[in-house]
Amino acid sequence: MTIIDGKTMAQKVREDTQQRTAALKKKGVTPCLAVVLVGEDPSSLSYVTGKEKALAEVGIDSRDIRLTANTTEEVILSLIARLNADKGVHGILVQLPLPRHIRESVVIDAIAPKKDVDGFHPISVGNMVLGKKGFLPCTPNGIVYMLKEIERKLAFSLSGAHAVIVGRSNIVGRPLGILLSQKSVNATITICHTGTRNLSEMTLQADILIAAAGKPALITGDMVKNGAVVIDVGVNRVSVPTAKKGYRLCGDVDFDSTAKKASFITPVPGGVGPMTIAMLLRNVVDAAEMGT
Ligand code: NAP
């Protein structure tokens, strides 16, 4: 069994974006991402901080916009309209989830597609479904990148493989199914969700098993086929009173029992997370290269 080191894989993408950023700066363009955080959700705050740190490390500017939890939808929409028109801003990221009184889809739809570096706008989603050029959502794109790297370096073929995805969200499971089923990847896809009758019957068929349910240790070793590639997308906070922060992060996969069956497995943290950030950096540089 090999642990897939997401940090090392992400480093290659980060170096590439750093070089492209330096080239843009020589032409007088500094890539810039506007990062909008509404409210004080601790997980969102930590994701935003991590993204801004990564942006700074490769030389991308970020415009940090923090709004209180009671900000109205109207105020957010007028902020987005300003950012859409701002030639110094190449990408716009609104950290999700938003407070309940704000309609996420209305906010996402308001972002100019050419600045939609999260790849959540309906135009970006449509382009992805049709296999056209456009921004791809960072987590699914990062997972495809990881799987292609494993394929490139090791005796493993994505083409014809059966990929079972647990989770059908608009940001992970569903787009991942679309990307993996494209001819360029050529996997066969099963998507599971809470309506799936017998989850382990499905997961046991997986050559590639991707867990994106947000449920700690949902996948245990007895649900995994021998030799499967296991990608754990889940990031769950499990309360541990003795831990420094009072919690520890764990995935959707029970690592110890699954590692005994898997050929490759991603850890949490240090697996999918760093790849998600690397793909965001790449999208921002793509946006800056295209111009505003
Ligand atoms: P989400 O919107 O809550 O979707 C979860 C999906 O999992 C839903 O489709 C749900 O089914 C399904 N599900 C939940 N429990 C299940 C069960 N017991 N059996 C089968 N299916 C089940 O979550 P998300 O935004 O996709 O995120 C999933 C996880 O990935 C979270 O832990 C999140 O923190 C993490 N994440 C990590 C990254 C990263 O970069 N590492 C990025 C994004 C998300 P229904 O549709 O039927 O409800």
Side-chain angles (χ1 to χ4, degrees), residues 47 139 166-173 192-196 199 211-215 218 232-236 250 252 271-274 276-277:
Y47 289 139
T139 301
V166 183
R168 60 175 159 191
S169 74
N170 288 340
I171 62 166
V172 188
C192 302
H193 41 75
T194 55
T196 300
L199 186 61
K215 295 283 176 298
L218 174 67
D232 190 354
V233 187
V235 180
N236 307 295
C250 76
D252 289 351
V272 173
T276 297
I277 293 185

PDB file of all heavy atoms in Angstrom, residues 47 139 166-173 192-196 199 211-215 218 232-236 250 252 271-274 276-277, ligand 1:
ATOM      1  N   TYR A  47     -10.103  27.739   6.078  1.00  0.00           N
ATOM      2  CA  TYR A  47      -9.908  27.477   4.634  1.00  0.00           C
ATOM      3  C   TYR A  47      -9.422  28.741   3.929  1.00  0.00           C
ATOM      4  O   TYR A  47      -8.501  28.712   3.110  1.00  0.00           O
ATOM      5  CB  TYR A  47     -11.214  27.019   3.967  1.00  0.00           C
ATOM      6  CG  TYR A  47     -11.653  25.622   4.363  1.00  0.00           C
ATOM      7  CD1 TYR A  47     -12.988  25.335   4.611  1.00  0.00           C
ATOM      8  CD2 TYR A  47     -10.733  24.592   4.485  1.00  0.00           C
ATOM      9  CE1 TYR A  47     -13.390  24.051   4.988  1.00  0.00           C
ATOM     10  CE2 TYR A  47     -11.122  23.314   4.863  1.00  0.00           C
ATOM     11  CZ  TYR A  47     -12.447  23.053   5.105  1.00  0.00           C
ATOM     12  OH  TYR A  47     -12.840  21.804   5.477  1.00  0.00           O
ATOM     13  N   THR A 139     -11.675  20.912  -6.373  1.00  0.00           N
ATOM     14  CA  THR A 139     -11.493  19.608  -5.715  1.00  0.00           C
ATOM     15  C   THR A 139     -11.588  18.455  -6.725  1.00  0.00           C
ATOM     16  O   THR A 139     -10.667  17.627  -6.796  1.00  0.00           O
ATOM     17  CB  THR A 139     -12.503  19.447  -4.551  1.00  0.00           C
ATOM     18  OG1 THR A 139     -12.287  20.522  -3.633  1.00  0.00           O
ATOM     19  CG2 THR A 139     -12.326  18.129  -3.837  1.00  0.00           C
ATOM     20  N   VAL A 166     -18.799   8.227  -3.501  1.00  0.00           N
ATOM     21  CA  VAL A 166     -19.823   8.306  -2.462  1.00  0.00           C
ATOM     22  C   VAL A 166     -20.054   9.783  -2.173  1.00  0.00           C
ATOM     23  O   VAL A 166     -19.197  10.449  -1.588  1.00  0.00           O
ATOM     24  CB  VAL A 166     -19.399   7.531  -1.191  1.00  0.00           C
ATOM     25  CG1 VAL A 166     -20.517   7.570  -0.155  1.00  0.00           C
ATOM     26  CG2 VAL A 166     -19.035   6.089  -1.542  1.00  0.00           C
ATOM     27  N   GLY A 167     -21.177  10.306  -2.627  1.00  0.00           N
ATOM     28  CA  GLY A 167     -21.489  11.735  -2.505  1.00  0.00           C
ATOM     29  C   GLY A 167     -21.821  12.313  -3.866  1.00  0.00           C
ATOM     30  O   GLY A 167     -21.160  11.982  -4.850  1.00  0.00           O
ATOM     31  N   ARG A 168     -22.863  13.155  -3.911  1.00  0.00           N
ATOM     32  CA  ARG A 168     -23.295  13.724  -5.203  1.00  0.00           C
ATOM     33  C   ARG A 168     -23.453  15.242  -5.116  1.00  0.00           C
ATOM     34  O   ARG A 168     -24.302  15.836  -5.781  1.00  0.00           O
ATOM     35  CB  ARG A 168     -24.620  13.107  -5.628  1.00  0.00           C
ATOM     36  CG  ARG A 168     -25.731  13.349  -4.621  1.00  0.00           C
ATOM     37  CD  ARG A 168     -27.075  12.860  -5.085  1.00  0.00           C
ATOM     38  NE  ARG A 168     -27.966  12.657  -3.957  1.00  0.00           N
ATOM     39  CZ  ARG A 168     -29.127  12.045  -4.040  1.00  0.00           C
ATOM     40  NH1 ARG A 168     -29.559  11.583  -5.179  1.00  0.00           N
ATOM     41  NH2 ARG A 168     -29.866  11.884  -2.966  1.00  0.00           N
ATOM     42  N   SER A 169     -22.627  15.888  -4.274  1.00  0.00           N
ATOM     43  CA  SER A 169     -22.769  17.343  -4.156  1.00  0.00           C
ATOM     44  C   SER A 169     -22.356  18.017  -5.451  1.00  0.00           C
ATOM     45  O   SER A 169     -21.620  17.444  -6.270  1.00  0.00           O
ATOM     46  CB  SER A 169     -21.905  17.878  -3.007  1.00  0.00           C
ATOM     47  OG  SER A 169     -20.552  17.862  -3.384  1.00  0.00           O
ATOM     48  N   ASN A 170     -22.818  19.284  -5.591  1.00  0.00           N
ATOM     49  CA  ASN A 170     -22.484  20.045  -6.797  1.00  0.00           C
ATOM     50  C   ASN A 170     -21.019  20.444  -6.851  1.00  0.00           C
ATOM     51  O   ASN A 170     -20.517  20.833  -7.900  1.00  0.00           O
ATOM     52  CB  ASN A 170     -23.342  21.315  -6.875  1.00  0.00           C
ATOM     53  CG  ASN A 170     -24.769  20.985  -7.222  1.00  0.00           C
ATOM     54  OD1 ASN A 170     -25.066  19.910  -7.751  1.00  0.00           O
ATOM     55  ND2 ASN A 170     -25.684  21.894  -6.896  1.00  0.00           N
ATOM     56  N   ILE A 171     -20.335  20.390  -5.693  1.00  0.00           N
ATOM     57  CA  ILE A 171     -18.939  20.842  -5.714  1.00  0.00           C
ATOM     58  C   ILE A 171     -17.930  19.695  -5.751  1.00  0.00           C
ATOM     59  O   ILE A 171     -16.780  19.907  -6.093  1.00  0.00           O
ATOM     60  CB  ILE A 171     -18.621  21.816  -4.549  1.00  0.00           C
ATOM     61  CG1 ILE A 171     -18.801  21.145  -3.191  1.00  0.00           C
ATOM     62  CG2 ILE A 171     -19.455  23.074  -4.637  1.00  0.00           C
ATOM     63  CD1 ILE A 171     -18.168  21.950  -2.060  1.00  0.00           C
ATOM     64  N   VAL A 172     -18.360  18.489  -5.368  1.00  0.00           N
ATOM     65  CA  VAL A 172     -17.404  17.370  -5.392  1.00  0.00           C
ATOM     66  C   VAL A 172     -17.938  16.184  -6.216  1.00  0.00           C
ATOM     67  O   VAL A 172     -17.507  15.948  -7.339  1.00  0.00           O
ATOM     68  CB  VAL A 172     -17.009  16.893  -3.962  1.00  0.00           C
ATOM     69  CG1 VAL A 172     -15.871  15.878  -4.066  1.00  0.00           C
ATOM     70  CG2 VAL A 172     -16.587  18.037  -3.065  1.00  0.00           C
ATOM     71  N   GLY A 173     -18.872  15.434  -5.651  1.00  0.00           N
ATOM     72  CA  GLY A 173     -19.248  14.149  -6.243  1.00  0.00           C
ATOM     73  C   GLY A 173     -19.738  14.223  -7.676  1.00  0.00           C
ATOM     74  O   GLY A 173     -19.251  13.515  -8.562  1.00  0.00           O
ATOM     75  N   CYS A 192     -22.920   7.198  -5.548  1.00  0.00           N
ATOM     76  CA  CYS A 192     -23.766   6.762  -4.422  1.00  0.00           C
ATOM     77  C   CYS A 192     -24.168   7.974  -3.578  1.00  0.00           C
ATOM     78  O   CYS A 192     -23.480   9.002  -3.577  1.00  0.00           O
ATOM     79  CB  CYS A 192     -23.003   5.787  -3.535  1.00  0.00           C
ATOM     80  SG  CYS A 192     -22.413   4.339  -4.423  1.00  0.00           S
ATOM     81  N   HIS A 193     -25.260   7.812  -2.852  1.00  0.00           N
ATOM     82  CA  HIS A 193     -25.782   8.890  -2.003  1.00  0.00           C
ATOM     83  C   HIS A 193     -26.625   8.248  -0.917  1.00  0.00           C
ATOM     84  O   HIS A 193     -26.619   7.011  -0.780  1.00  0.00           O
ATOM     85  CB  HIS A 193     -26.587   9.875  -2.864  1.00  0.00           C
ATOM     86  CG  HIS A 193     -27.442   9.191  -3.880  1.00  0.00           C
ATOM     87  ND1 HIS A 193     -28.593   8.544  -3.543  1.00  0.00           N
ATOM     88  CD2 HIS A 193     -27.249   9.009  -5.222  1.00  0.00           C
ATOM     89  CE1 HIS A 193     -29.105   7.996  -4.634  1.00  0.00           C
ATOM     90  NE2 HIS A 193     -28.301   8.268  -5.669  1.00  0.00           N
ATOM     91  N   THR A 194     -27.379   9.066  -0.183  1.00  0.00           N
ATOM     92  CA  THR A 194     -28.135   8.480   0.941  1.00  0.00           C
ATOM     93  C   THR A 194     -29.294   7.596   0.452  1.00  0.00           C
ATOM     94  O   THR A 194     -29.842   6.823   1.229  1.00  0.00           O
ATOM     95  CB  THR A 194     -28.685   9.573   1.882  1.00  0.00           C
ATOM     96  OG1 THR A 194     -29.468  10.484   1.106  1.00  0.00           O
ATOM     97  CG2 THR A 194     -27.577  10.334   2.585  1.00  0.00           C
ATOM     98  N   GLY A 195     -29.633   7.702  -0.819  1.00  0.00           N
ATOM     99  CA  GLY A 195     -30.685   6.837  -1.358  1.00  0.00           C
ATOM    100  C   GLY A 195     -30.144   5.505  -1.872  1.00  0.00           C
ATOM    101  O   GLY A 195     -30.929   4.645  -2.298  1.00  0.00           O
ATOM    102  N   THR A 196     -28.837   5.334  -1.832  1.00  0.00           N
ATOM    103  CA  THR A 196     -28.247   4.077  -2.321  1.00  0.00           C
ATOM    104  C   THR A 196     -28.630   2.947  -1.350  1.00  0.00           C
ATOM    105  O   THR A 196     -28.449   3.084  -0.141  1.00  0.00           O
ATOM    106  CB  THR A 196     -26.699   4.221  -2.402  1.00  0.00           C
ATOM    107  OG1 THR A 196     -26.422   5.292  -3.306  1.00  0.00           O
ATOM    108  CG2 THR A 196     -26.034   2.955  -2.873  1.00  0.00           C
ATOM    109  N   LEU A 199     -24.763   0.299   0.283  1.00  0.00           N
ATOM    110  CA  LEU A 199     -23.546   1.048  -0.059  1.00  0.00           C
ATOM    111  C   LEU A 199     -22.349   0.122  -0.259  1.00  0.00           C
ATOM    112  O   LEU A 199     -21.601   0.257  -1.228  1.00  0.00           O
ATOM    113  CB  LEU A 199     -23.265   2.094   1.026  1.00  0.00           C
ATOM    114  CG  LEU A 199     -22.116   3.053   0.756  1.00  0.00           C
ATOM    115  CD1 LEU A 199     -22.367   3.881  -0.496  1.00  0.00           C
ATOM    116  CD2 LEU A 199     -21.871   3.978   1.950  1.00  0.00           C
ATOM    117  N   ALA A 211     -14.458   8.840  -1.511  1.00  0.00           N
ATOM    118  CA  ALA A 211     -15.415   9.112  -0.435  1.00  0.00           C
ATOM    119  C   ALA A 211     -15.546  10.613  -0.254  1.00  0.00           C
ATOM    120  O   ALA A 211     -14.583  11.288   0.103  1.00  0.00           O
ATOM    121  CB  ALA A 211     -14.950   8.455   0.856  1.00  0.00           C
ATOM    122  N   ALA A 212     -16.736  11.149  -0.529  1.00  0.00           N
ATOM    123  CA  ALA A 212     -16.990  12.589  -0.397  1.00  0.00           C
ATOM    124  C   ALA A 212     -18.369  12.777   0.209  1.00  0.00           C
ATOM    125  O   ALA A 212     -19.260  13.363  -0.397  1.00  0.00           O
ATOM    126  CB  ALA A 212     -16.879  13.276  -1.746  1.00  0.00           C
ATOM    127  N   ALA A 213     -18.543  12.257   1.419  1.00  0.00           N
ATOM    128  CA  ALA A 213     -19.854  12.273   2.076  1.00  0.00           C
ATOM    129  C   ALA A 213     -19.886  13.200   3.294  1.00  0.00           C
ATOM    130  O   ALA A 213     -20.962  13.599   3.735  1.00  0.00           O
ATOM    131  CB  ALA A 213     -20.241  10.859   2.501  1.00  0.00           C
ATOM    132  N   GLY A 214     -18.720  13.527   3.826  1.00  0.00           N
ATOM    133  CA  GLY A 214     -18.690  14.344   5.043  1.00  0.00           C
ATOM    134  C   GLY A 214     -19.144  13.571   6.273  1.00  0.00           C
ATOM    135  O   GLY A 214     -19.740  14.139   7.185  1.00  0.00           O
ATOM    136  N   LYS A 215     -18.854  12.258   6.273  1.00  0.00           N
ATOM    137  CA  LYS A 215     -19.227  11.402   7.414  1.00  0.00           C
ATOM    138  C   LYS A 215     -17.974  10.651   7.893  1.00  0.00           C
ATOM    139  O   LYS A 215     -17.437   9.804   7.158  1.00  0.00           O
ATOM    140  CB  LYS A 215     -20.293  10.370   6.992  1.00  0.00           C
ATOM    141  CG  LYS A 215     -21.627  10.975   6.600  1.00  0.00           C
ATOM    142  CD  LYS A 215     -22.420  11.379   7.831  1.00  0.00           C
ATOM    143  CE  LYS A 215     -23.706  12.081   7.541  1.00  0.00           C
ATOM    144  NZ  LYS A 215     -23.686  13.342   6.844  1.00  0.00           N
ATOM    145  N   LEU A 218     -16.990   6.638   7.379  1.00  0.00           N
ATOM    146  CA  LEU A 218     -18.117   5.959   6.717  1.00  0.00           C
ATOM    147  C   LEU A 218     -17.627   4.702   5.981  1.00  0.00           C
ATOM    148  O   LEU A 218     -18.303   3.674   5.953  1.00  0.00           O
ATOM    149  CB  LEU A 218     -18.769   6.927   5.713  1.00  0.00           C
ATOM    150  CG  LEU A 218     -19.875   6.372   4.820  1.00  0.00           C
ATOM    151  CD1 LEU A 218     -21.104   6.001   5.646  1.00  0.00           C
ATOM    152  CD2 LEU A 218     -20.276   7.395   3.749  1.00  0.00           C
ATOM    153  N   ASP A 232      -9.803   9.916  -0.241  1.00  0.00           N
ATOM    154  CA  ASP A 232     -10.648  10.377   0.870  1.00  0.00           C
ATOM    155  C   ASP A 232     -10.774  11.902   0.803  1.00  0.00           C
ATOM    156  O   ASP A 232      -9.816  12.632   1.065  1.00  0.00           O
ATOM    157  CB  ASP A 232      -9.985   9.956   2.194  1.00  0.00           C
ATOM    158  CG  ASP A 232     -10.894  10.172   3.390  1.00  0.00           C
ATOM    159  OD1 ASP A 232     -11.987  10.750   3.223  1.00  0.00           O
ATOM    160  OD2 ASP A 232     -10.499   9.768   4.509  1.00  0.00           O
ATOM    161  N   VAL A 233     -11.959  12.367   0.428  1.00  0.00           N
ATOM    162  CA  VAL A 233     -12.171  13.816   0.272  1.00  0.00           C
ATOM    163  C   VAL A 233     -12.627  14.430   1.598  1.00  0.00           C
ATOM    164  O   VAL A 233     -12.411  15.616   1.852  1.00  0.00           O
ATOM    165  CB  VAL A 233     -13.225  14.106  -0.823  1.00  0.00           C
ATOM    166  CG1 VAL A 233     -13.312  15.603  -1.108  1.00  0.00           C
ATOM    167  CG2 VAL A 233     -12.907  13.360  -2.105  1.00  0.00           C
ATOM    168  N   GLY A 234     -13.221  13.641   2.441  1.00  0.00           N
ATOM    169  CA  GLY A 234     -13.852  14.153   3.667  1.00  0.00           C
ATOM    170  C   GLY A 234     -12.906  14.940   4.562  1.00  0.00           C
ATOM    171  O   GLY A 234     -11.737  14.576   4.724  1.00  0.00           O
ATOM    172  N   VAL A 235     -13.413  16.011   5.095  1.00  0.00           N
ATOM    173  CA  VAL A 235     -12.695  16.764   6.137  1.00  0.00           C
ATOM    174  C   VAL A 235     -13.693  16.954   7.270  1.00  0.00           C
ATOM    175  O   VAL A 235     -14.627  17.754   7.159  1.00  0.00           O
ATOM    176  CB  VAL A 235     -12.193  18.132   5.631  1.00  0.00           C
ATOM    177  CG1 VAL A 235     -11.452  18.866   6.751  1.00  0.00           C
ATOM    178  CG2 VAL A 235     -11.279  17.978   4.421  1.00  0.00           C
ATOM    179  N   ASN A 236     -13.529  16.175   8.318  1.00  0.00           N
ATOM    180  CA  ASN A 236     -14.484  16.214   9.433  1.00  0.00           C
ATOM    181  C   ASN A 236     -13.743  16.570  10.723  1.00  0.00           C
ATOM    182  O   ASN A 236     -12.638  16.088  10.956  1.00  0.00           O
ATOM    183  CB  ASN A 236     -15.135  14.832   9.598  1.00  0.00           C
ATOM    184  CG  ASN A 236     -15.748  14.333   8.300  1.00  0.00           C
ATOM    185  OD1 ASN A 236     -16.689  14.916   7.789  1.00  0.00           O
ATOM    186  ND2 ASN A 236     -15.200  13.246   7.739  1.00  0.00           N
ATOM    187  N   CYS A 250     -10.496  14.349  10.547  1.00  0.00           N
ATOM    188  CA  CYS A 250     -10.434  13.004   9.975  1.00  0.00           C
ATOM    189  C   CYS A 250     -11.273  12.969   8.705  1.00  0.00           C
ATOM    190  O   CYS A 250     -12.124  13.830   8.471  1.00  0.00           O
ATOM    191  CB  CYS A 250     -10.873  11.955  10.985  1.00  0.00           C
ATOM    192  SG  CYS A 250     -12.622  11.883  11.217  1.00  0.00           S
ATOM    193  N   ASP A 252     -13.468  10.627   5.549  1.00  0.00           N
ATOM    194  CA  ASP A 252     -14.660   9.766   5.480  1.00  0.00           C
ATOM    195  C   ASP A 252     -14.256   8.294   5.479  1.00  0.00           C
ATOM    196  O   ASP A 252     -15.110   7.415   5.444  1.00  0.00           O
ATOM    197  CB  ASP A 252     -15.434  10.059   4.189  1.00  0.00           C
ATOM    198  CG  ASP A 252     -16.126  11.415   4.222  1.00  0.00           C
ATOM    199  OD1 ASP A 252     -16.145  12.053   5.291  1.00  0.00           O
ATOM    200  OD2 ASP A 252     -16.649  11.825   3.170  1.00  0.00           O
ATOM    201  N   GLY A 271      -3.885  15.048   1.803  1.00  0.00           N
ATOM    202  CA  GLY A 271      -4.206  14.326   0.570  1.00  0.00           C
ATOM    203  C   GLY A 271      -4.847  15.245  -0.453  1.00  0.00           C
ATOM    204  O   GLY A 271      -4.173  16.002  -1.157  1.00  0.00           O
ATOM    205  N   VAL A 272      -6.178  15.224  -0.485  1.00  0.00           N
ATOM    206  CA  VAL A 272      -6.930  15.999  -1.478  1.00  0.00           C
ATOM    207  C   VAL A 272      -6.828  17.516  -1.211  1.00  0.00           C
ATOM    208  O   VAL A 272      -6.773  18.309  -2.155  1.00  0.00           O
ATOM    209  CB  VAL A 272      -8.414  15.541  -1.496  1.00  0.00           C
ATOM    210  CG1 VAL A 272      -9.259  16.443  -2.379  1.00  0.00           C
ATOM    211  CG2 VAL A 272      -8.509  14.083  -1.959  1.00  0.00           C
ATOM    212  N   GLY A 273      -6.793  17.909   0.050  1.00  0.00           N
ATOM    213  CA  GLY A 273      -6.800  19.342   0.422  1.00  0.00           C
ATOM    214  C   GLY A 273      -5.739  20.155  -0.308  1.00  0.00           C
ATOM    215  O   GLY A 273      -6.059  21.159  -0.969  1.00  0.00           O
ATOM    216  N   PRO A 274      -4.456  19.754  -0.239  1.00  0.00           N
ATOM    217  CA  PRO A 274      -3.417  20.538  -0.936  1.00  0.00           C
ATOM    218  C   PRO A 274      -3.630  20.609  -2.452  1.00  0.00           C
ATOM    219  O   PRO A 274      -3.306  21.612  -3.078  1.00  0.00           O
ATOM    220  CB  PRO A 274      -2.126  19.770  -0.614  1.00  0.00           C
ATOM    221  CG  PRO A 274      -2.423  18.991   0.615  1.00  0.00           C
ATOM    222  CD  PRO A 274      -3.889  18.673   0.591  1.00  0.00           C
ATOM    223  N   THR A 276      -6.581  20.662  -3.950  1.00  0.00           N
ATOM    224  CA  THR A 276      -7.676  21.626  -4.172  1.00  0.00           C
ATOM    225  C   THR A 276      -7.094  23.036  -4.253  1.00  0.00           C
ATOM    226  O   THR A 276      -7.420  23.816  -5.164  1.00  0.00           O
ATOM    227  CB  THR A 276      -8.694  21.538  -3.014  1.00  0.00           C
ATOM    228  OG1 THR A 276      -9.270  20.239  -3.009  1.00  0.00           O
ATOM    229  CG2 THR A 276      -9.792  22.581  -3.144  1.00  0.00           C
ATOM    230  N   ILE A 277      -6.219  23.353  -3.313  1.00  0.00           N
ATOM    231  CA  ILE A 277      -5.632  24.701  -3.282  1.00  0.00           C
ATOM    232  C   ILE A 277      -4.750  24.927  -4.518  1.00  0.00           C
ATOM    233  O   ILE A 277      -4.801  25.982  -5.149  1.00  0.00           O
ATOM    234  CB  ILE A 277      -4.853  24.928  -1.966  1.00  0.00           C
ATOM    235  CG1 ILE A 277      -5.853  24.942  -0.807  1.00  0.00           C
ATOM    236  CG2 ILE A 277      -4.052  26.223  -2.020  1.00  0.00           C
ATOM    237  CD1 ILE A 277      -5.286  25.265   0.545  1.00  0.00           C
TER     238      ILE A 277
HETATM  239  P1  NAP B   1     -22.288  17.645   1.009  1.00  0.00           P
HETATM  240  O1  NAP B   1     -22.738  18.749   0.152  1.00  0.00           O
HETATM  241  O2  NAP B   1     -22.796  17.527   2.398  1.00  0.00           O
HETATM  242  O3  NAP B   1     -22.642  16.276   0.240  1.00  0.00           O
HETATM  243  C1  NAP B   1     -22.443  15.026   0.854  1.00  0.00           C
HETATM  244  C2  NAP B   1     -22.914  13.949  -0.078  1.00  0.00           C
HETATM  245  O4  NAP B   1     -22.661  12.697   0.547  1.00  0.00           O
HETATM  246  C3  NAP B   1     -24.405  14.008  -0.377  1.00  0.00           C
HETATM  247  O5  NAP B   1     -24.617  13.727  -1.751  1.00  0.00           O
HETATM  248  C4  NAP B   1     -24.996  12.910   0.504  1.00  0.00           C
HETATM  249  O6  NAP B   1     -26.115  12.264  -0.071  1.00  0.00           O
HETATM  250  C5  NAP B   1     -23.841  11.914   0.561  1.00  0.00           C
HETATM  251  N1  NAP B   1     -23.878  11.124   1.796  1.00  0.00           N
HETATM  252  C6  NAP B   1     -23.892  11.593   3.062  1.00  0.00           C
HETATM  253  N2  NAP B   1     -23.957  10.550   3.929  1.00  0.00           N
HETATM  254  C7  NAP B   1     -23.997   9.426   3.178  1.00  0.00           C
HETATM  255  C8  NAP B   1     -24.097   8.049   3.495  1.00  0.00           C
HETATM  256  N3  NAP B   1     -24.159   7.623   4.749  1.00  0.00           N
HETATM  257  N4  NAP B   1     -24.121   7.167   2.471  1.00  0.00           N
HETATM  258  C9  NAP B   1     -24.063   7.588   1.185  1.00  0.00           C
HETATM  259  N5  NAP B   1     -23.979   8.883   0.819  1.00  0.00           N
HETATM  260  C10 NAP B   1     -23.943   9.795   1.808  1.00  0.00           C
HETATM  261  O7  NAP B   1     -20.702  17.584   1.136  1.00  0.00           O
HETATM  262  P2  NAP B   1     -19.532  18.090   0.131  1.00  0.00           P
HETATM  263  O8  NAP B   1     -19.518  19.557   0.097  1.00  0.00           O
HETATM  264  O9  NAP B   1     -19.572  17.317  -1.132  1.00  0.00           O
HETATM  265  O10 NAP B   1     -18.267  17.620   0.969  1.00  0.00           O
HETATM  266  C11 NAP B   1     -18.065  16.259   1.312  1.00  0.00           C
HETATM  267  C12 NAP B   1     -16.875  16.165   2.241  1.00  0.00           C
HETATM  268  O11 NAP B   1     -15.718  16.592   1.535  1.00  0.00           O
HETATM  269  C13 NAP B   1     -16.957  17.071   3.479  1.00  0.00           C
HETATM  270  O12 NAP B   1     -16.327  16.420   4.562  1.00  0.00           O
HETATM  271  C14 NAP B   1     -16.172  18.296   3.071  1.00  0.00           C
HETATM  272  O13 NAP B   1     -15.606  18.970   4.191  1.00  0.00           O
HETATM  273  C15 NAP B   1     -15.086  17.661   2.239  1.00  0.00           C
HETATM  274  N6  NAP B   1     -14.481  18.551   1.240  1.00  0.00           N
HETATM  275  C16 NAP B   1     -13.139  18.541   1.168  1.00  0.00           C
HETATM  276  C17 NAP B   1     -12.516  19.312   0.226  1.00  0.00           C
HETATM  277  C18 NAP B   1     -11.029  19.280   0.139  1.00  0.00           C
HETATM  278  O14 NAP B   1     -10.449  20.086  -0.573  1.00  0.00           O
HETATM  279  N7  NAP B   1     -10.351  18.362   0.811  1.00  0.00           N
HETATM  280  C19 NAP B   1     -13.255  20.108  -0.640  1.00  0.00           C
HETATM  281  C20 NAP B   1     -14.640  20.067  -0.568  1.00  0.00           C
HETATM  282  C21 NAP B   1     -15.256  19.268   0.375  1.00  0.00           C
HETATM  283  P3  NAP B   1     -27.512  13.037  -0.356  1.00  0.00           P
HETATM  284  O15 NAP B   1     -27.281  13.840  -1.595  1.00  0.00           O
HETATM  285  O16 NAP B   1     -28.467  11.923  -0.580  1.00  0.00           O
HETATM  286  O17 NAP B   1     -27.778  13.872   0.845  1.00  0.00           O
END
